[in-house]
Amino acid sequence: MGDGGTEAKNLVLSSRMRGPGGTRPIVVKLGGSVITDKSRKFCVRREVLKRLAEELAATGEPLVVVHGGGSFGHPLASEYGLRSGLRERSQLIGVSLTHRAMEQLNGYVIEALQGAGLPAVAIQPSACAVMERGRIAYMEIRAFKEFLGLGLVPVSYGDVVPDLARGVSILSGDQLVVYLAQKLNAKRVVIGVDVGGVYTGDPKVDKEAKLIREITPEDWEKMEKSIGGARGPDVTGGMANKIRELLELAKCGIEAQVVDATRPGVVKRAILGEPGMGTRIISR
Ligand code: ATP
Ligand code: IP8
């Protein structure tokens, strides 16, 4: 252990020495379609999580991890009609249950990351974000910055959060990824899903669907109609909404790659900057 006081002081000093811009992290989303079975309520894929955690740890990069709701958050948010906000008191228990389910899934993610040797720390969006009409109006991100600077791995997730106009809203992991990537000046963003990237149609339904290698804000209008939602309950709009969010990021010059996180090694390679996998969301 050594001299705790001096060690802590040194760590703080070395994080300050990285300068005002701090560490440029890579923001990684572990999709709910990957870490849970979206066709079975509350079904976590522990083996997949373990493998992904080991991949993340092997990169040695500064990371911010965000995960989606999968079969934990979405079924409850849908059951209690939380997508369009609060209309009656009977929904309040749904807010509590949805948040609790997300905390449970987050617990599995944190455990897996710790198991792989990563110093992961959960940051609860409902305690630091406020939305207005479904968009983040304010979020306190100082803890993300400070933890990153110390070499910790902040881990956040899609959540049910206060909304100034609607009572509550569902903050998707995708909107959160984009917000954090902008505020933390991310080097890049990697989005892990359970398919090979973005296709001309849902590849689970349309066997003829072709992988789209790149999407730019200019292409999007032509493509938008064919890009569908998600399989199973999903209150945040599935693949099409993911791309809409990521295009905003591309406009700020931060590239995102949507990759198949079910294939071993792909997430690690994407984090390390290997091109040519999945779909790049970019701006020319
Ligand atoms: P979560 O929101 O729980 O985190 P996720 O982000 O991992 O989940 P989804 O929102 O479920 O993923 O989106 C991935 C799903 O989108 C795929 O399983 C696929 O079936 C579906 N999909 C629909 N249209 C397309 C498309 N054009 N290209 C690729 N996948 C598509
Ligand atoms: O799965 C949604 O986050 P997403 C979170 O990233 C909840 O869209 C609470 C359903």
Side-chain angles (χ1 to χ4, degrees), residues 127-184:
C128 57
V130 176
M131 297 175 89
E132 189 158 8
R133 291 182 186 80
R135 307 301 302 172
I136 298 174
Y138 170 77
M139 185 165 180
E140 173 55 62
I141 57 142
R142 186 75 190 261
F144 285 87
K145 286 189 177 164
E146 296 297 329
F147 279 167
L148 257 177
L150 291 170
L152 290 157
V153 179
V155 181
S156 202
Y157 48 90
D159 200 358
V160 51
V161 307
D163 186 298
L164 299 174
R166 300 175 179 166
V168 296
S169 268
I170 300 296
L171 169 62
S172 73
D174 299 314
Q175 187 182 155
L176 183 57
V177 159
V178 169
Y179 188 89
L180 291 175
Q182 283 171 345
K183 296 284 180 193
L184 300 171

Side-chain angles (χ1 to χ4, degrees), residues 29 31-33 38 68 70 194 197 199 201-202 204 228-231 234 238 242:
K29 183 182 176 204
S33 65
K38 280 182 100 158
D194 67 339
Y199 289 76
D202 185 344
K204 287 188 185 157
R231 314 280 301 151
D234 190 307
K242 203 180 300 301

Side-chain angles (χ1 to χ4, degrees), residues 26-31 174 177-178 187-193 195-198 211-215 239 242-243 246-247 249-250 254-261 265-282:
I26 296 169
V27 180
V28 183
K29 183 182 176 204
L30 303 178
D174 299 314
V177 159
V178 169
K187 230 190 286 183
R188 68 181 145 269
V189 164
V190 174
I191 305 284
V193 291
V195 289
V198 186
L211 180 66
I212 303 167
R213 290 279 174 201
E214 278 182 10
I215 302 180
M239 187 56 84
K242 203 180 300 301
I243 307 308
L246 295 171
L247 282 167
L249 192 61
I254 301 175
E255 173 176 336
Q257 227 176 329
V258 180
V259 299
D260 187 350
V266 167
V267 166
K268 175 181 162 196
R269 283 154 60 199
I271 291 173
L272 293 174
E274 187 176 317
M277 286 177 303
T279 304
R280 292 170 72 204
I281 318 291
I282 49 167

